[in-house]
């Protein structure tokens, strides 16, 4: 069984921070790129960030630049998304996904092999 499980979501005030975790089981994450996607109510799922398998290349969408940081700890088989200075428009269900590749990562959803079930992030006063 292969599985990705997101955690760390919740309710936070504007300007606050959350750190999301994506834990893999049933496979080793070392040779997988990992992406974070989000889907707001009534909106399409969009890529927000990704990290290459070797941890040497990351991408953050314009909407998160300067606020979001992606990282990984292969010893824990886990990828993180640190989100600072959160805004109401960041409210969404956040999903992580894994892609078998050693190439630079992308946030094209169709390229990813395994998906988590999401964690809710709500930014509101």
């Amino acid at each position: 069984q292969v599985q990705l499980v997101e955690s760390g979501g919740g309710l936070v005030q504007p300007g606050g921070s959350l750190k999301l975790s994506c834990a893999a089981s049933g496979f080793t994450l070392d040779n997988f790129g990992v992406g974070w996607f989000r889907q707001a109510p009534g909106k399409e799922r969009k890529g927000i960030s990704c990290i290459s398998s070797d941890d040497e290349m990351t991408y953050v969408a314009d909407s998160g630049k300067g606020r979001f940081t992606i990282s990984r700890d292969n010893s824990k088989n886990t990828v993180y998304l640190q989100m600072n200075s959160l805004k109401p428009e960041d409210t969404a269900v956040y999903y992580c996904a894994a892609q078998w590749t050693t190439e630079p990562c992308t946030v094209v959803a169709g390229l990813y092999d395994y998906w988590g079930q999401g964690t809710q992030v709500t930014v509101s006063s």
Side-chain angles (χ1 to χ4, degrees):
Q1 178 183 356
V2 296
Q3 188 174 1
L4 292 172
V5 178
E6 302 95 336
S7 62
L11 175 64
V12 64
Q13 292 184 327
S17 298
L18 286 173
K19 187 174 184 178
L20 306 183
S21 298
C22 174
S25 61
F27 69 105
T28 301
L29 215 51
D30 301 53
N31 290 324
F32 285 80
V34 176
W36 285 97
F37 299 78
R38 68 186 185 188
Q39 188 168 21
K43 302 294 183 66
E44 296 182 345
R45 188 172 300 185
K46 298 179 63 176
I48 185 65
S49 185
C50 64
I51 186 167
S52 62
S53 60
D54 62 4
D55 199 19
E56 294 185 1
M57 179 170 290
T58 61
Y59 166 82
V60 178
D62 288 343
S63 59
K65 283 188 182 299
R67 303 186 298 122
F68 293 1
T69 303
I70 191 168
S71 62
R72 66 191 302 153
D73 185 345
N74 285 343
S75 69
K76 297 181 178 179
N77 222 21
T78 300
V79 170
Y80 306 95
L81 183 67
Q82 178 69 48
M83 303 188 295
N84 299 324
S85 302
L86 284 163
K87 306 174 181 179
E89 51 263 44
D90 295 318
T91 296
V93 177
Y94 284 71
Y95 301 86
C96 69
Q99 176 190 10
W100 175 260
T101 181
T102 57
E103 299 297 316
C105 69
T106 67
V107 289
V108 178
L111 298 178
Y112 285 81
D113 302 298
Y114 307 117
W115 289 81
Q117 294 190 348
T119 185
Q120 176 71 49
V121 172
T122 302
V123 184
S124 176
S125 298

